[in-house]
């Protein structure tokens, strides 16, 4: 298992101190807040959390205080206030807050990426295209810089002046995306935004899978849609997501079934059928392998109060 542990490198960046109080005052008692700014969410946790499986959508995640661990496949990313986590496509992860307390809560924020805005910035700002077309891992960490912290602080300050959000939020988002594009992880974003790159083609295939996960999957057909041979498609898909297309589909199906059982009160057989399984026994085996317990036992343990945890950052 590859470990990306950046929590000890506190002298490499400015940290996110200016963001902590801004997040704290807006999330007090809420846990998670989806703000008035489209695509911006804030999180506060006062104690470490258990590992939670969810889809980490394309975005940049900052920590103002505390620390977090995100696992993608067999890779582990530990990061804190001196580093950001960037995800260029939607990826199935297991995540947990590892440092949080009442005195020093975990304070985080997630800004979703806007592929159209990023592509326009590349064109208008004369940002160079990626050096290679090859896909790279869709998740990485980068060192926080003072300009990036400042831009996020200004974005948060707009919450005090909501009438300015429609005009000013897109401008500040453009600055954030520009700094990410021209920063150490900009290559990943440029690959996703560049038409014809392998990452761009795989990201379209991911979109199709999310919309059609209950349908039978023919990888040959998906590869053909992406303009690749099946072997090349498999290679770049795994490089970007750390899993195969079938594993990705299975994760989508099982997590959707879990949500249906938690929030829709469906029995296991009905949930399995709705997400595309024809065999209840196969569903139960694969569910147990992913979540560590058979479906109904897992749902009893989690309870309805846990229904939204798999949707949180």
């Amino acid at each position: 298992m590859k470990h990306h542990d950046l929590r000890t490198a506190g002298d490499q960046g400015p940290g996110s101190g200016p963001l902590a109080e801004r997040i704290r005052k807006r999330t007090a008692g809420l846990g998670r807040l989806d703000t008035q700014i489209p695509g911006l969410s804030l999180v506060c946790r006062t104690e470490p959390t258990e590992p939670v499986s969810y889809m980490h959508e394309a975005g940049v995640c900052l920590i103002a205080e505390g620390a977090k661990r995100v696992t993608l496949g067999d890779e582990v990313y530990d990061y804190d206030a001196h580093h950001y986590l960037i995800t260029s496509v939607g990826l199935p992860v297991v995540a947990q807050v590892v440092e949080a307390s009442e005195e020093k809560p975990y304070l985080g924020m997630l800004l979703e990426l806007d592929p159209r805005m990023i592509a326009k910035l590349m064109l208008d700002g004369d940002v160079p295209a990626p050096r290679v077309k090859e896909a790279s891992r869709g998740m990485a960490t980068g060192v926080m810089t003072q300009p990036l912290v400042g831009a996020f602080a200004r974005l948060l300050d707009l919450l005090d002046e909501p009438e300015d959000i429609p005009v000013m939020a897109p401008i500040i988002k453009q600055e954030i995306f520009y700094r990410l594009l021209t920063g150490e992880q900009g290559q990943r974003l440029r690959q996703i935004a560049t038409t014809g790159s392998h990452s761009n083609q795989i990201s379209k295939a991911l979109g199709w899978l999310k919309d059609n996960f209950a349908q039978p999957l023919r990888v040959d057909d998906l590869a053909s849609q992406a303009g690749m041979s099946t072997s090349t498609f498999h290679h770049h898909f795994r490089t970007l997501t750390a899993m195969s297309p079938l594993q990705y589909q299975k994760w989508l199906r099982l997590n959707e079934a879990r949500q249906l059982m938690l929030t829709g009160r469906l029995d296991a057989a009905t949930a399995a059928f709705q997400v595309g399984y024809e065999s209840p026994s196969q569903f139960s085996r694969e569910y147990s392998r992913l979540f560590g317990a058979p479906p109904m036992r897992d749902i009893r343990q989690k309870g309805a109060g846990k229904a939204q945890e798999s949707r949180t950052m």
Side-chain angles (χ1 to χ4, degrees):
M1 180 174 286
K2 188 174 181 180
H3 210 101
H4 305 260
D5 190 347
L6 300 175
R7 290 176 297 157
T8 59
D11 59 345
Q12 294 183 18
S16 300
L19 303 177
E21 192 55 39
R22 290 171 168 88
I23 298 174
R24 189 193 311 268
K25 74 177 184 178
R26 293 180 175 90
T27 56
L30 296 176
R32 177 185 172 110
L33 173 67
D34 292 324
T35 72
Q36 294 170 277
I37 298 173
L40 179 67
S41 302
L42 309 179
V43 172
C44 175
R45 301 281 185 239
T46 56
E47 60 184 12
T49 64
E50 294 296 318
V52 176
S53 175
Y54 69 101
M55 177 66 71
H56 197 306
E57 296 298 343
V60 55
C61 188
L62 274 65
I63 297 175
E65 196 167 82
K68 188 173 182 181
R69 173 171 299 153
V70 176
T71 302
L72 172 65
D74 62 353
E75 296 189 357
V76 179
Y77 299 81
D78 283 310
Y79 67 110
D80 59 11
H82 293 273
H83 301 85
Y84 61 84
L85 180 79
I86 190 166
T87 309
S88 57
V89 293
L91 294 172
V93 302
V94 175
Q96 65 181 126
V97 173
V98 294
E99 290 182 14
S101 66
E102 290 282 353
E103 297 75 24
K104 294 192 66 175
Y106 168 87
L107 299 168
M109 58 189 300
L110 172 68
L111 179 63
E112 296 176 6
L113 298 182
D114 185 332
R116 291 184 180 179
M117 185 179 287
I118 290 169
K120 189 173 187 301
L121 275 171
M122 289 177 60
L123 182 64
D124 296 346
D126 197 27
V127 177
R131 293 185 299 274
V132 295
K133 288 178 60 179
E134 300 295 303
S136 58
R137 184 71 81 232
M139 177 172 283
T141 52
V143 176
M144 287 297 299
T145 64
Q146 195 61 58
L148 200 53
V149 171
F152 273 101
R154 291 195 302 278
L155 190 64
L156 284 175
D157 286 342
L158 286 180
L159 296 174
D160 293 328
E161 302 173 324
E163 68 277 5
D164 294 338
I165 289 175
V167 173
M168 295 302 300
I171 295 173
I172 299 174
K173 284 183 182 181
Q174 283 186 19
E175 178 187 350
I176 291 171
F177 296 150
Y178 179 79
R179 295 195 181 282
L180 292 171
L181 278 170
T182 56
E184 61 179 309
Q185 298 300 339
Q187 175 82 356
R188 296 174 196 272
L189 293 188
R190 296 197 294 273
Q191 284 179 337
I192 293 297
T194 301
T195 301
S197 71
H198 289 133
S199 292
N200 180 268
Q201 296 303 100
I202 296 297
S203 70
K204 292 178 181 178
L206 295 178
W208 186 91
L209 281 170
K210 290 178 190 176
D211 292 338
N212 300 276
F213 62 82
Q215 303 301 316
L217 174 60
R218 286 182 51 84
V219 178
D220 290 350
D221 293 342
L222 203 55
S224 180
Q225 290 179 30
M228 301 180 195
S229 68
T230 302
S231 60
T232 299
F233 179 79
H234 263 285
H235 169 73
H236 290 297
F237 193 102
R238 185 176 288 279
T239 297
L240 190 67
T241 68
M243 58 183 63
S244 71
L246 287 171
Q247 288 171 325
Y248 192 93
Q249 182 199 46
K250 183 186 299 182
W251 190 97
L252 291 170
R253 286 180 166 185
L254 293 173
N255 275 269
E256 180 63 21
R258 196 186 206 192
Q259 286 297 312
L260 290 172
M261 289 185 287
L262 279 169
T263 62
R265 308 294 187 176
L266 298 186
D267 61 81
T270 302
F273 177 76
Q274 287 199 17
V275 300
Y277 278 91
E278 297 180 358
S279 167
S281 59
Q282 180 187 4
F283 170 73
S284 183
R285 284 196 305 273
E286 294 183 352
Y287 190 102
S288 299
R289 193 173 299 125
L290 180 61
F291 296 117
M296 299 319 293
R297 188 199 306 169
D298 174 62
I299 297 307
R300 284 196 301 271
Q301 290 171 348
K302 294 299 178 185
K306 296 290 186 179
Q308 295 304 314
E309 285 195 7
S310 64
R311 305 287 191 190
T312 63
M313 70 170 183

